Amino acid sequence: MENIELKESSIADVLRYGPVSHVDDDLLLIEDLSQVPKASMPRRNHDIIIGLCLAGESDYTLNTEEHIVRPDDALIIPNGQVIDACLRKPGTTGVGIMMSPDFFQEVVGDMREISSLILFSRNHPVFRLSARERVSIMNYFRLIKEKVDDDGLLFRKDVVRHLVAAMICEIGNAIDRIQHNSEPAATRADAIFTDFIRLVEQNYKQERRVSWYGEQLCITPKYLSEMVKQVSRRTPNEWIDTYVTTELRVQLRSTTKSIKEIARDMNFPNQSFLGKYFKEHVGMSPMTYRKQ
């Protein structure tokens, strides 16, 4: 029997179907989700998707579990999830935003409690917004689209990045309200993942060893890896590297520090080691990235 690999779905795939508001392959806005063609086969999502149902009803399967989306429902689909069997009833409309993992990390890099958003979306991929929350998020969506479509805006991507961050904060407020109304029972893996992410947020500039994080949590590196991957579908090393590379991008883009100074601040043995690390994870040298 022929071996069929699970294909990925990405922003680039959606762009093939026609003109749509977007910033490179980092951010894409969909004004009417009903116009997006349905995949004929299961696909692993490469990007982060945030959607809002405005009318009608739709159901889809995420990681083999079926979910129903109704008016005023928001949905969050983290990258790496498998989407299948989407069925839209006539008259269903909604808006959506797709973000590349790198763009998402740039947006949320300075935010605290991001782990709670990740955990919530895993356990509650669909959740109901209040009327006020729906209006607020739609206002952000329209403003983001206006700025994305303004090619003459000097700081277009920076403005869009800050607006997306504000919208995510609004979604976070809705999630906080829901969690306080009905706190879900957290699993052991959820608790370990939350503690791990908090440790990474506090120590990633100095510590990149999975063994060190395991010691702080009083568990073995192997058990930590199993629990983190169970919850997030990513390894501890991938999470640590994400935080480190995001910080390196920020410092290279937003500061005048020399690469040697950045290497010292981020606890790299030397500038050369940082250069090799950055090129391995970003695909170019720190100097090339700074010039771009």
Side-chain angles (χ1 to χ4, degrees), residues 237-282:
N237 274 323
E238 287 173 329
W239 278 110
I240 295 166
D241 288 338
T242 294
Y243 276 88
V244 173
T245 54
T246 297
E247 180 64 23
L248 290 175
R249 287 171 186 263
V250 169
Q251 294 209 30
L252 288 167
R253 184 185 69 237
S254 306
T255 76
T256 57
K257 291 180 181 178
S258 68
I259 296 176
K260 183 177 181 179
E261 288 174 322
I262 295 173
R264 184 178 63 246
D265 291 346
M266 297 293 291
N267 200 31
F268 282 91
N270 51 54
Q271 179 177 334
S272 175
F273 197 94
L274 182 150
K276 292 177 182 177
Y277 178 94
F278 192 83
K279 189 167 186 178
E280 177 184 348
H281 292 89
V282 181

Side-chain angles (χ1 to χ4, degrees), residues 113-268:
E113 302 299 329
I114 187 60
S115 56
S116 63
L117 176 63
I118 297 167
L119 286 176
F120 187 88
S121 64
R122 174 180 176 268
N123 296 316
H124 305 83
V126 179
F127 54 95
R128 179 61 52 88
L129 299 174
S130 68
R132 183 194 63 78
E133 291 163 348
R134 175 183 183 272
V135 169
S136 179
I137 291 171
M138 277 304 301
N139 286 340
Y140 274 114
F141 180 87
R142 295 188 184 98
L143 186 55
I144 291 168
K145 184 179 185 304
E146 176 187 326
K147 300 305 179 183
V148 167
D149 292 340
D150 188 354
D151 292 331
L153 191 63
L154 180 60
F155 299 106
R156 172 170 166 259
K157 194 167 184 178
D158 291 312
V159 170
V160 168
R161 187 184 293 112
H162 287 299
L163 288 172
V164 172
M167 187 191 72
I168 290 175
C169 286
E170 287 289 340
I171 295 172
N173 288 332
I175 289 173
D176 184 66
R177 170 185 59 79
I178 294 168
Q179 287 179 321
H180 278 85
N181 288 344
S182 56
E183 188 71 27
T187 66
R188 170 67 171 157
D190 290 337
I192 289 174
F193 176 69
T194 300
D195 290 342
F196 167 70
I197 289 296
R198 286 174 178 162
L199 274 174
V200 173
E201 289 174 347
Q202 295 166 5
N203 299 282
Y204 69 89
K205 290 183 180 180
Q206 301 300 319
E207 280 294 343
R208 291 184 288 277
R209 295 173 298 150
V210 175
S211 59
W212 183 87
Y213 289 97
E215 288 174 5
Q216 307 311 303
L217 297 171
C218 299
I219 56 178
T220 65
K222 181 180 178 181
Y223 186 64
L224 173 60
S225 297
E226 290 173 352
M227 295 298 98
V228 169
K229 197 164 186 179
Q230 178 182 319
V231 172
S232 67
R233 298 179 181 271
R234 300 174 71 185
T235 66
N237 274 323
E238 287 173 329
W239 278 110
I240 295 166
D241 288 338
T242 294
Y243 276 88
V244 173
T245 54
T246 297
E247 180 64 23
L248 290 175
R249 287 171 186 263
V250 169
Q251 294 209 30
L252 288 167
R253 184 185 69 237
S254 306
T255 76
T256 57
K257 291 180 181 178
S258 68
I259 296 176
K260 183 177 181 179
E261 288 174 322
I262 295 173
R264 184 178 63 246
D265 291 346
M266 297 293 291
N267 200 31
F268 282 91

